[in-house]
Amino acid sequence: MKTAIVTDSTAYIPEDVRKQHHIHMIPLSVLFGNESYKEEVDISTEDFFDMLRKSDELPKTSQPSIGMFQELYENLSLKYDAVVSIHLSSGISGTYQTSTTAGEMTEDLDVYTFDSEISCMAQGFYVLEAAEMANNGATPDQIMSRLEEMKNSLQAYFMVDDLTNLHRGGRLSGAQAVVGSLLQVKPVLHFVDTKIVPFEKIRTRKKALKRVKGLFEEVAAEGEPMKATIIHANREAEGQEILEELQEQYPHVEFVLSYFGPVIGTHLGEGAIGIGWYKK
């Protein structure tokens, strides 16, 4: 049985890596005024943050249309028997549901959709694992079973410089009662039950970053083989510095540097830093 792997652009897997692993990508979009840009296709992350700094208004984000999914699935049905389609958390986007609906409407192809319940390279870890398994001949059921197993150890924590975008975009749950105070701090956030929620309120960026690193180190200190990612919002040098520091301390962990692209960057804003990981 030949299985294709599909994900959306918010996994932020570079194009060369997608090609190498035969991963198919559906883009989400950002809208500045009346102009729409498909991320990872029409606009680079660097250009996006340049535009964000110059814009008076917060850009909007939009999920792929059902037609985009249907077209991709129809094309894949010519070469593949099945698809495992892995998407950003259903709690912050309708992309997963749209993928599911399109799959149900596609004949001659079995579409398995997976809600990563997270985003960015943490989502990408599921995609890369699935692609490796598919390329080695695993069945969709075997792949889906492995992805569910990964959920037991996959975690990500991130800090943002400014909560305004998350609040204005309606992506931060449980914040209404404390938003006044939250906007004055550097919160550490994470995903719980598909939604972004505050994990801890911390007064300075330095302490917030130290806390995020500390959460990773609690798990890494157990010594089990792991994969981890440092994710940055237009702070590549800082992300690389954190990666090198942790790599030296934890040689049993395989690290990759990644980024918050336009869609997720719209909500987190420039300067956000995150760490995600799972046990191999």
Side-chain angles (χ1 to χ4, degrees):
M1 191 176 197
K2 203 171 177 195
T3 303
I5 303 301
V6 170
T7 192
D8 57 73
S9 55
T10 67
Y12 302 122
I13 299 171
E15 185 179 9
D16 61 330
V17 178
R18 295 199 308 268
K19 283 181 177 175
Q20 180 188 341
H21 295 279
H22 310 292
I23 295 163
H24 304 269
M25 187 271 283
I26 289 267
L28 278 76
S29 299
V30 288
L31 294 86
F32 283 91
N34 296 322
E35 291 293 320
S36 178
Y37 303 87
K38 295 183 180 75
E39 71 170 357
E40 305 284 278
V41 178
D42 301 329
I43 187 171
S44 71
T45 297
E46 189 177 0
D47 287 344
F48 164 76
F49 281 112
D50 281 344
M51 291 173 69
L52 187 64
R53 277 192 296 271
K54 295 169 186 171
S55 177
D56 294 329
E57 291 184 18
L58 187 67
K60 293 181 171 62
T61 60
S62 68
Q63 66 192 52
S65 68
I66 194 165
M68 289 174 71
F69 276 108
Q70 284 179 292
E71 183 181 359
L72 176 60
Y73 291 159
E74 293 292 346
N75 289 338
L76 291 175
S77 72
L78 303 175
K79 295 181 182 178
Y80 295 89
D81 306 301
V83 164
V84 173
S85 202
I86 300 164
H87 298 291
L88 78 162
S89 180
S90 61
I92 62 170
S93 171
T95 304
Y96 164 78
Q97 188 54 55
T98 302
S99 170
T100 301
T101 304
E104 291 166 353
M105 297 166 70
T106 305
E107 297 178 8
D108 304 320
L109 188 72
D110 294 325
V111 179
Y112 297 71
T113 48
F114 182 78
D115 183 354
S116 73
E117 300 184 15
I118 208 158
S119 189
C120 303
M121 186 46 80
Q123 170 189 337
F125 280 148
Y126 289 117
V127 180
L128 293 169
E129 186 94 2
E132 186 177 343
M133 291 182 71
N135 292 334
N136 288 327
T139 67
D141 285 332
Q142 288 171 327
I143 294 169
M144 293 293 283
S145 177
R146 171 59 183 146
L147 298 184
E148 288 295 342
E149 181 189 344
M150 284 174 65
K151 273 189 181 175
N152 295 327
S153 68
L154 196 145
Q155 298 180 71
Y157 292 87
F158 48 101
M159 58 128 314
V160 297
D161 260 355
D162 186 348
L163 265 180
T164 306
N165 289 13
L166 266 175
H167 181 55
R168 282 165 63 191
R171 293 306 194 283
L172 184 60
S173 299
Q176 273 60 41
V178 290
V179 74
S181 61
L182 269 178
L183 290 174
Q184 309 305 316
V185 299
K186 307 295 182 191
V188 173
L189 307 169
H190 64 152
F191 280 85
V192 175
D193 296 330
T194 77
K195 302 280 178 63
I196 298 171
V197 299
F199 175 73
E200 225 167 75
K201 292 184 286 182
I202 297 175
R203 285 288 168 194
T204 67
R205 177 185 172 87
K206 187 176 178 182
K207 287 180 180 176
L209 273 175
K210 185 179 178 183
R211 182 65 173 125
V212 172
K213 285 192 280 188
L215 289 161
F216 161 76
E217 289 172 332
E218 284 174 20
V219 181
E222 295 170 14
E224 293 184 48
M226 293 167 60
K227 287 190 178 181
T229 179
I230 313 301
I231 312 170
H232 67 90
N234 214 29
R235 294 290 185 273
E236 185 172 359
E238 185 177 15
Q240 184 65 36
E241 188 180 319
I242 294 167
L243 185 151
E244 289 172 4
E245 175 196 333
L246 293 175
Q247 201 160 42
E248 193 174 328
Q249 290 178 263
Y250 303 100
H252 61 282
V253 181
E254 184 183 330
F255 287 93
V256 61
L257 185 64
S258 191
Y259 56 93
F260 295 112
V263 167
I264 303 301
T266 292
H267 304 297
L268 298 188
E270 197 168 2
I273 296 276
I275 304 179
W277 65 85
Y278 74 100
K279 295 178 180 178
K280 291 186 190 178

